[in-house]
Each structure stands twice: as structure tokens, then as C-alpha cells.
PDB file of all heavy atoms in Angstrom:
ATOM      1  N   CYS A   1     106.490  95.757 107.216  1.00  0.00           N
ATOM      2  CA  CYS A   1     107.118  96.708 108.155  1.00  0.00           C
ATOM      3  C   CYS A   1     106.397  98.055 108.160  1.00  0.00           C
ATOM      4  O   CYS A   1     106.173  98.638 109.221  1.00  0.00           O
ATOM      5  CB  CYS A   1     108.594  96.887 107.812  1.00  0.00           C
ATOM      6  SG  CYS A   1     109.579  95.428 108.165  1.00  0.00           S
ATOM      7  N   GLU A   2     106.044  98.540 106.983  1.00  0.00           N
ATOM      8  CA  GLU A   2     105.351  99.839 106.908  1.00  0.00           C
ATOM      9  C   GLU A   2     103.983  99.752 107.555  1.00  0.00           C
ATOM     10  O   GLU A   2     103.548 100.676 108.234  1.00  0.00           O
ATOM     11  CB  GLU A   2     105.249 100.310 105.453  1.00  0.00           C
ATOM     12  CG  GLU A   2     106.568 100.727 104.857  1.00  0.00           C
ATOM     13  CD  GLU A   2     107.268 101.845 105.615  1.00  0.00           C
ATOM     14  OE1 GLU A   2     106.600 102.846 105.968  1.00  0.00           O
ATOM     15  OE2 GLU A   2     108.481 101.727 105.875  1.00  0.00           O
ATOM     16  N   GLY A   3     103.284  98.650 107.330  1.00  0.00           N
ATOM     17  CA  GLY A   3     101.982  98.467 107.963  1.00  0.00           C
ATOM     18  C   GLY A   3     102.099  98.440 109.479  1.00  0.00           C
ATOM     19  O   GLY A   3     101.301  99.062 110.188  1.00  0.00           O
ATOM     20  N   TYR A   4     103.110  97.731 109.963  1.00  0.00           N
ATOM     21  CA  TYR A   4     103.320  97.677 111.408  1.00  0.00           C
ATOM     22  C   TYR A   4     103.619  99.065 111.976  1.00  0.00           C
ATOM     23  O   TYR A   4     103.093  99.457 113.018  1.00  0.00           O
ATOM     24  CB  TYR A   4     104.438  96.702 111.741  1.00  0.00           C
ATOM     25  CG  TYR A   4     104.642  96.577 113.239  1.00  0.00           C
ATOM     26  CD1 TYR A   4     103.772  95.806 114.016  1.00  0.00           C
ATOM     27  CD2 TYR A   4     105.668  97.266 113.881  1.00  0.00           C
ATOM     28  CE1 TYR A   4     103.947  95.697 115.386  1.00  0.00           C
ATOM     29  CE2 TYR A   4     105.835  97.176 115.252  1.00  0.00           C
ATOM     30  CZ  TYR A   4     104.988  96.397 116.008  1.00  0.00           C
ATOM     31  OH  TYR A   4     105.138  96.329 117.362  1.00  0.00           O
ATOM     32  N   LYS A   5     104.450  99.834 111.279  1.00  0.00           N
ATOM     33  CA  LYS A   5     104.784 101.184 111.717  1.00  0.00           C
ATOM     34  C   LYS A   5     103.535 102.065 111.804  1.00  0.00           C
ATOM     35  O   LYS A   5     103.343 102.788 112.767  1.00  0.00           O
ATOM     36  CB  LYS A   5     105.799 101.852 110.774  1.00  0.00           C
ATOM     37  CG  LYS A   5     107.199 101.359 110.940  1.00  0.00           C
ATOM     38  CD  LYS A   5     108.089 102.151 109.961  1.00  0.00           C
ATOM     39  CE  LYS A   5     109.347 101.426 109.632  1.00  0.00           C
ATOM     40  NZ  LYS A   5     110.126 102.082 108.573  1.00  0.00           N
ATOM     41  N   LEU A   6     102.716 102.017 110.761  1.00  0.00           N
ATOM     42  CA  LEU A   6     101.511 102.840 110.739  1.00  0.00           C
ATOM     43  C   LEU A   6     100.539 102.420 111.850  1.00  0.00           C
ATOM     44  O   LEU A   6      99.940 103.264 112.504  1.00  0.00           O
ATOM     45  CB  LEU A   6     100.837 102.759 109.369  1.00  0.00           C
ATOM     46  CG  LEU A   6     101.569 103.469 108.235  1.00  0.00           C
ATOM     47  CD1 LEU A   6     100.962 103.086 106.878  1.00  0.00           C
ATOM     48  CD2 LEU A   6     101.544 104.967 108.431  1.00  0.00           C
ATOM     49  N   LEU A   7     100.374 101.126 112.070  1.00  0.00           N
ATOM     50  CA  LEU A   7      99.506 100.661 113.146  1.00  0.00           C
ATOM     51  C   LEU A   7     100.077 101.048 114.507  1.00  0.00           C
ATOM     52  O   LEU A   7      99.334 101.513 115.393  1.00  0.00           O
ATOM     53  CB  LEU A   7      99.332  99.140 113.067  1.00  0.00           C
ATOM     54  CG  LEU A   7      98.483  98.619 111.934  1.00  0.00           C
ATOM     55  CD1 LEU A   7      98.611  97.109 111.818  1.00  0.00           C
ATOM     56  CD2 LEU A   7      97.012  99.018 112.096  1.00  0.00           C
ATOM     57  N   ASN A   8     101.377 100.843 114.676  1.00  0.00           N
ATOM     58  CA  ASN A   8     102.022 101.148 115.972  1.00  0.00           C
ATOM     59  C   ASN A   8     101.958 102.646 116.288  1.00  0.00           C
ATOM     60  O   ASN A   8     101.844 103.016 117.448  1.00  0.00           O
ATOM     61  CB  ASN A   8     103.450 100.643 115.946  1.00  0.00           C
ATOM     62  CG  ASN A   8     103.921 100.206 117.306  1.00  0.00           C
ATOM     63  OD1 ASN A   8     103.139  99.673 118.095  1.00  0.00           O
ATOM     64  ND2 ASN A   8     105.171 100.426 117.587  1.00  0.00           N
ATOM     65  N   LYS A   9     102.028 103.456 115.274  1.00  0.00           N
ATOM     66  CA  LYS A   9     101.979 104.919 115.441  1.00  0.00           C
ATOM     67  C   LYS A   9     100.654 105.319 116.128  1.00  0.00           C
ATOM     68  O   LYS A   9     100.604 106.274 116.892  1.00  0.00           O
ATOM     69  CB  LYS A   9     102.085 105.602 114.080  1.00  0.00           C
ATOM     70  CG  LYS A   9     101.959 107.092 114.073  1.00  0.00           C
ATOM     71  CD  LYS A   9     102.096 107.587 112.636  1.00  0.00           C
ATOM     72  CE  LYS A   9     101.735 109.046 112.543  1.00  0.00           C
ATOM     73  NZ  LYS A   9     101.753 109.511 111.157  1.00  0.00           N
ATOM     74  N   HIS A  10      99.593 104.577 115.825  1.00  0.00           N
ATOM     75  CA  HIS A  10      98.255 104.909 116.366  1.00  0.00           C
ATOM     76  C   HIS A  10      97.806 103.925 117.457  1.00  0.00           C
ATOM     77  O   HIS A  10      96.643 103.960 117.851  1.00  0.00           O
ATOM     78  CB  HIS A  10      97.243 104.906 115.222  1.00  0.00           C
ATOM     79  CG  HIS A  10      97.529 105.912 114.170  1.00  0.00           C
ATOM     80  ND1 HIS A  10      97.290 107.250 114.343  1.00  0.00           N
ATOM     81  CD2 HIS A  10      98.069 105.784 112.924  1.00  0.00           C
ATOM     82  CE1 HIS A  10      97.656 107.909 113.257  1.00  0.00           C
ATOM     83  NE2 HIS A  10      98.131 107.029 112.377  1.00  0.00           N
ATOM     84  N   LYS A  11      98.723 103.072 117.927  1.00  0.00           N
ATOM     85  CA  LYS A  11      98.356 102.046 118.903  1.00  0.00           C
ATOM     86  C   LYS A  11      97.634 102.669 120.084  1.00  0.00           C
ATOM     87  O   LYS A  11      98.071 103.643 120.648  1.00  0.00           O
ATOM     88  CB  LYS A  11      99.606 101.286 119.374  1.00  0.00           C
ATOM     89  CG  LYS A  11      99.298 100.117 120.307  1.00  0.00           C
ATOM     90  CD  LYS A  11     100.476  99.184 120.511  1.00  0.00           C
ATOM     91  CE  LYS A  11     101.633  99.880 121.154  1.00  0.00           C
ATOM     92  NZ  LYS A  11     102.706  98.951 121.501  1.00  0.00           N
ATOM     93  N   GLY A  12      96.502 102.069 120.446  1.00  0.00           N
ATOM     94  CA  GLY A  12      95.717 102.564 121.573  1.00  0.00           C
ATOM     95  C   GLY A  12      94.657 103.572 121.174  1.00  0.00           C
ATOM     96  O   GLY A  12      93.776 103.894 121.965  1.00  0.00           O
ATOM     97  N   SER A  13      94.738 104.079 119.946  1.00  0.00           N
ATOM     98  CA  SER A  13      93.745 105.079 119.509  1.00  0.00           C
ATOM     99  C   SER A  13      93.316 104.860 118.058  1.00  0.00           C
ATOM    100  O   SER A  13      92.991 105.800 117.354  1.00  0.00           O
ATOM    101  CB  SER A  13      94.307 106.486 119.668  1.00  0.00           C
ATOM    102  OG  SER A  13      95.457 106.652 118.870  1.00  0.00           O
ATOM    103  N   ILE A  14      93.334 103.612 117.617  1.00  0.00           N
ATOM    104  CA  ILE A  14      92.951 103.324 116.244  1.00  0.00           C
ATOM    105  C   ILE A  14      91.439 103.350 116.130  1.00  0.00           C
ATOM    106  O   ILE A  14      90.724 102.652 116.842  1.00  0.00           O
ATOM    107  CB  ILE A  14      93.491 101.932 115.790  1.00  0.00           C
ATOM    108  CG1 ILE A  14      95.024 101.968 115.779  1.00  0.00           C
ATOM    109  CG2 ILE A  14      92.964 101.565 114.412  1.00  0.00           C
ATOM    110  CD1 ILE A  14      95.683 100.643 115.467  1.00  0.00           C
ATOM    111  N   THR A  15      90.972 104.201 115.233  1.00  0.00           N
ATOM    112  CA  THR A  15      89.535 104.285 114.914  1.00  0.00           C
ATOM    113  C   THR A  15      89.312 103.695 113.555  1.00  0.00           C
ATOM    114  O   THR A  15      90.281 103.400 112.813  1.00  0.00           O
ATOM    115  CB  THR A  15      89.083 105.760 114.913  1.00  0.00           C
ATOM    116  OG1 THR A  15      89.789 106.440 113.854  1.00  0.00           O
ATOM    117  CG2 THR A  15      89.340 106.449 116.262  1.00  0.00           C
ATOM    118  N   SER A  16      88.073 103.534 113.155  1.00  0.00           N
ATOM    119  CA  SER A  16      87.803 103.028 111.818  1.00  0.00           C
ATOM    120  C   SER A  16      88.338 103.988 110.759  1.00  0.00           C
ATOM    121  O   SER A  16      88.856 103.550 109.728  1.00  0.00           O
ATOM    122  CB  SER A  16      86.296 102.766 111.622  1.00  0.00           C
ATOM    123  OG  SER A  16      85.539 103.899 111.913  1.00  0.00           O
ATOM    124  N   GLU A  17      88.274 105.290 111.032  1.00  0.00           N
ATOM    125  CA  GLU A  17      88.784 106.286 110.062  1.00  0.00           C
ATOM    126  C   GLU A  17      90.301 106.159 109.903  1.00  0.00           C
ATOM    127  O   GLU A  17      90.822 106.216 108.782  1.00  0.00           O
ATOM    128  CB  GLU A  17      88.413 107.698 110.504  1.00  0.00           C
ATOM    129  CG  GLU A  17      86.944 108.028 110.432  1.00  0.00           C
ATOM    130  CD  GLU A  17      86.156 107.552 111.650  1.00  0.00           C
ATOM    131  OE1 GLU A  17      86.739 107.050 112.633  1.00  0.00           O
ATOM    132  OE2 GLU A  17      84.910 107.688 111.633  1.00  0.00           O
ATOM    133  N   ILE A  18      91.016 105.964 111.013  1.00  0.00           N
ATOM    134  CA  ILE A  18      92.483 105.795 110.923  1.00  0.00           C
ATOM    135  C   ILE A  18      92.814 104.506 110.187  1.00  0.00           C
ATOM    136  O   ILE A  18      93.721 104.490 109.341  1.00  0.00           O
ATOM    137  CB  ILE A  18      93.117 105.824 112.341  1.00  0.00           C
ATOM    138  CG1 ILE A  18      93.089 107.253 112.900  1.00  0.00           C
ATOM    139  CG2 ILE A  18      94.543 105.278 112.314  1.00  0.00           C
ATOM    140  CD1 ILE A  18      93.490 107.357 114.350  1.00  0.00           C
ATOM    141  N   MET A  19      92.069 103.449 110.453  1.00  0.00           N
ATOM    142  CA  MET A  19      92.334 102.199 109.763  1.00  0.00           C
ATOM    143  C   MET A  19      92.114 102.341 108.263  1.00  0.00           C
ATOM    144  O   MET A  19      92.864 101.814 107.454  1.00  0.00           O
ATOM    145  CB  MET A  19      91.423 101.087 110.339  1.00  0.00           C
ATOM    146  CG  MET A  19      91.848  99.712 109.995  1.00  0.00           C
ATOM    147  SD  MET A  19      93.452  99.293 110.711  1.00  0.00           S
ATOM    148  CE  MET A  19      94.250  98.647 109.260  1.00  0.00           C
ATOM    149  N   MET A  20      91.070 103.094 107.878  1.00  0.00           N
ATOM    150  CA  MET A  20      90.828 103.324 106.453  1.00  0.00           C
ATOM    151  C   MET A  20      91.963 104.123 105.825  1.00  0.00           C
ATOM    152  O   MET A  20      92.365 103.834 104.704  1.00  0.00           O
ATOM    153  CB  MET A  20      89.481 104.037 106.272  1.00  0.00           C
ATOM    154  CG  MET A  20      88.309 103.156 106.534  1.00  0.00           C
ATOM    155  SD  MET A  20      86.768 104.123 106.388  1.00  0.00           S
ATOM    156  CE  MET A  20      85.655 103.073 107.326  1.00  0.00           C
ATOM    157  N   GLU A  21      92.488 105.116 106.541  1.00  0.00           N
ATOM    158  CA  GLU A  21      93.630 105.873 106.051  1.00  0.00           C
ATOM    159  C   GLU A  21      94.835 104.958 105.832  1.00  0.00           C
ATOM    160  O   GLU A  21      95.526 105.073 104.817  1.00  0.00           O
ATOM    161  CB  GLU A  21      94.022 106.971 107.044  1.00  0.00           C
ATOM    162  CG  GLU A  21      93.104 108.166 107.067  1.00  0.00           C
ATOM    163  CD  GLU A  21      93.545 109.191 108.142  1.00  0.00           C
ATOM    164  OE1 GLU A  21      94.752 109.298 108.418  1.00  0.00           O
ATOM    165  OE2 GLU A  21      92.638 109.834 108.703  1.00  0.00           O
ATOM    166  N   ILE A  22      95.073 104.083 106.772  1.00  0.00           N
ATOM    167  CA  ILE A  22      96.219 103.144 106.644  1.00  0.00           C
ATOM    168  C   ILE A  22      96.025 102.258 105.406  1.00  0.00           C
ATOM    169  O   ILE A  22      96.957 102.054 104.626  1.00  0.00           O
ATOM    170  CB  ILE A  22      96.372 102.306 107.930  1.00  0.00           C
ATOM    171  CG1 ILE A  22      96.855 103.202 109.080  1.00  0.00           C
ATOM    172  CG2 ILE A  22      97.329 101.125 107.710  1.00  0.00           C
ATOM    173  CD1 ILE A  22      96.831 102.545 110.446  1.00  0.00           C
ATOM    174  N   LEU A  23      94.832 101.730 105.200  1.00  0.00           N
ATOM    175  CA  LEU A  23      94.579 100.830 104.077  1.00  0.00           C
ATOM    176  C   LEU A  23      94.612 101.574 102.733  1.00  0.00           C
ATOM    177  O   LEU A  23      94.839 100.958 101.683  1.00  0.00           O
ATOM    178  CB  LEU A  23      93.245 100.111 104.251  1.00  0.00           C
ATOM    179  CG  LEU A  23      93.231  99.087 105.385  1.00  0.00           C
ATOM    180  CD1 LEU A  23      91.823  98.577 105.637  1.00  0.00           C
ATOM    181  CD2 LEU A  23      94.201  97.949 105.109  1.00  0.00           C
ATOM    182  N   ARG A  24      94.443 102.885 102.745  1.00  0.00           N
ATOM    183  CA  ARG A  24      94.503 103.688 101.523  1.00  0.00           C
ATOM    184  C   ARG A  24      95.940 104.129 101.212  1.00  0.00           C
ATOM    185  O   ARG A  24      96.188 104.632 100.136  1.00  0.00           O
ATOM    186  CB  ARG A  24      93.655 104.938 101.678  1.00  0.00           C
ATOM    187  CG  ARG A  24      92.191 104.700 101.662  1.00  0.00           C
ATOM    188  CD  ARG A  24      91.422 106.019 101.814  1.00  0.00           C
ATOM    189  NE  ARG A  24      90.008 105.775 101.765  1.00  0.00           N
ATOM    190  CZ  ARG A  24      89.142 106.210 102.705  1.00  0.00           C
ATOM    191  NH1 ARG A  24      89.568 106.876 103.761  1.00  0.00           N
ATOM    192  NH2 ARG A  24      87.865 105.943 102.569  1.00  0.00           N
ATOM    193  N   ASP A  25      96.866 103.924 102.125  1.00  0.00           N
ATOM    194  CA  ASP A  25      98.208 104.482 101.995  1.00  0.00           C
ATOM    195  C   ASP A  25      98.972 103.857 100.819  1.00  0.00           C
ATOM    196  O   ASP A  25      99.245 102.655 100.822  1.00  0.00           O
ATOM    197  CB  ASP A  25      98.980 104.261 103.308  1.00  0.00           C
ATOM    198  CG  ASP A  25     100.242 105.073 103.374  1.00  0.00           C
ATOM    199  OD1 ASP A  25     101.208 104.662 102.705  1.00  0.00           O
ATOM    200  OD2 ASP A  25     100.258 106.108 104.044  1.00  0.00           O
ATOM    201  N   LYS A  26      99.309 104.655  99.852  1.00  0.00           N
ATOM    202  CA  LYS A  26     100.019 104.166  98.668  1.00  0.00           C
ATOM    203  C   LYS A  26     101.519 104.222  98.858  1.00  0.00           C
ATOM    204  O   LYS A  26     102.249 103.367  98.369  1.00  0.00           O
ATOM    205  CB  LYS A  26      99.609 104.965  97.431  1.00  0.00           C
ATOM    206  CG  LYS A  26      98.188 104.673  97.024  1.00  0.00           C
ATOM    207  CD  LYS A  26      97.762 105.454  95.795  1.00  0.00           C
ATOM    208  CE  LYS A  26      96.301 105.142  95.487  1.00  0.00           C
ATOM    209  NZ  LYS A  26      95.806 105.924  94.373  1.00  0.00           N
ATOM    210  N   GLU A  27     102.016 105.233  99.575  1.00  0.00           N
ATOM    211  CA  GLU A  27     103.457 105.406  99.773  1.00  0.00           C
ATOM    212  C   GLU A  27     104.071 104.193 100.448  1.00  0.00           C
ATOM    213  O   GLU A  27     105.175 103.762 100.120  1.00  0.00           O
ATOM    214  CB  GLU A  27     103.714 106.664 100.591  1.00  0.00           C
ATOM    215  CG  GLU A  27     105.170 107.024 100.684  1.00  0.00           C
ATOM    216  CD  GLU A  27     105.394 108.340 101.440  1.00  0.00           C
ATOM    217  OE1 GLU A  27     104.589 109.267 101.255  1.00  0.00           O
ATOM    218  OE2 GLU A  27     106.371 108.399 102.198  1.00  0.00           O
ATOM    219  N   SER A  28     103.375 103.604 101.401  1.00  0.00           N
ATOM    220  CA  SER A  28     103.880 102.450 102.144  1.00  0.00           C
ATOM    221  C   SER A  28     103.815 101.170 101.311  1.00  0.00           C
ATOM    222  O   SER A  28     104.445 100.175 101.659  1.00  0.00           O
ATOM    223  CB  SER A  28     103.063 102.246 103.419  1.00  0.00           C
ATOM    224  OG  SER A  28     101.732 101.893 103.076  1.00  0.00           O
ATOM    225  N   GLY A  29     103.034 101.168 100.256  1.00  0.00           N
ATOM    226  CA  GLY A  29     102.813  99.971  99.472  1.00  0.00           C
ATOM    227  C   GLY A  29     101.639  99.143  99.947  1.00  0.00           C
ATOM    228  O   GLY A  29     101.326  98.105  99.375  1.00  0.00           O
ATOM    229  N   ILE A  30     100.971  99.583 101.023  1.00  0.00           N
ATOM    230  CA  ILE A  30      99.811  98.849 101.507  1.00  0.00           C
ATOM    231  C   ILE A  30      98.712  98.856 100.457  1.00  0.00           C
ATOM    232  O   ILE A  30      98.111  97.832 100.165  1.00  0.00           O
ATOM    233  CB  ILE A  30      99.328  99.399 102.860  1.00  0.00           C
ATOM    234  CG1 ILE A  30     100.376  99.092 103.922  1.00  0.00           C
ATOM    235  CG2 ILE A  30      97.971  98.817 103.238  1.00  0.00           C
ATOM    236  CD1 ILE A  30     100.160  99.756 105.226  1.00  0.00           C
ATOM    237  N   ASN A  31      98.425 100.006  99.897  1.00  0.00           N
ATOM    238  CA  ASN A  31      97.506 100.101  98.754  1.00  0.00           C
ATOM    239  C   ASN A  31      98.360 100.029  97.498  1.00  0.00           C
ATOM    240  O   ASN A  31      98.904 101.022  97.042  1.00  0.00           O
ATOM    241  CB  ASN A  31      96.707 101.402  98.812  1.00  0.00           C
ATOM    242  CG  ASN A  31      95.672 101.491  97.690  1.00  0.00           C
ATOM    243  OD1 ASN A  31      95.522 100.568  96.915  1.00  0.00           O
ATOM    244  ND2 ASN A  31      94.967 102.601  97.658  1.00  0.00           N
TER     245      ASN A  31
END
């Protein structure tokens, strides 16, 4: 759910830098 929220927040403007930020996110539990 947290991953979907983070992706959806940037839907249409996801860059490689934003994707890296999402994959580094510890608070969501993704990292």
C-alpha cells in the first residue's frame, strides 16, 4: 500500500531520481 501511494503521488512524472527515492524510503518499509 505504501509503495502504491508513493508511486501514485508521482504518477505521470516519475523520473529515475524519484524512483530511487521511493526505493530508499525506510518509513514506508520499502527499504
Side-chain angles (χ1 to χ4, degrees):
C1 290
E2 290 301 314
Y4 182 78
K5 284 182 203 172
L6 289 168
L7 289 169
N8 212 35
K9 176 180 171 185
H10 299 285
K11 185 166 62 173
S13 61
I14 296 175
T15 63
S16 54
E17 292 83 5
I18 288 172
M19 196 64 230
M20 288 177 201
E21 284 178 32
I22 291 170
L23 292 171
R24 289 180 179 126
D25 194 284
K26 291 181 182 176
E27 188 177 321
S28 66
I30 292 170
N31 183 2

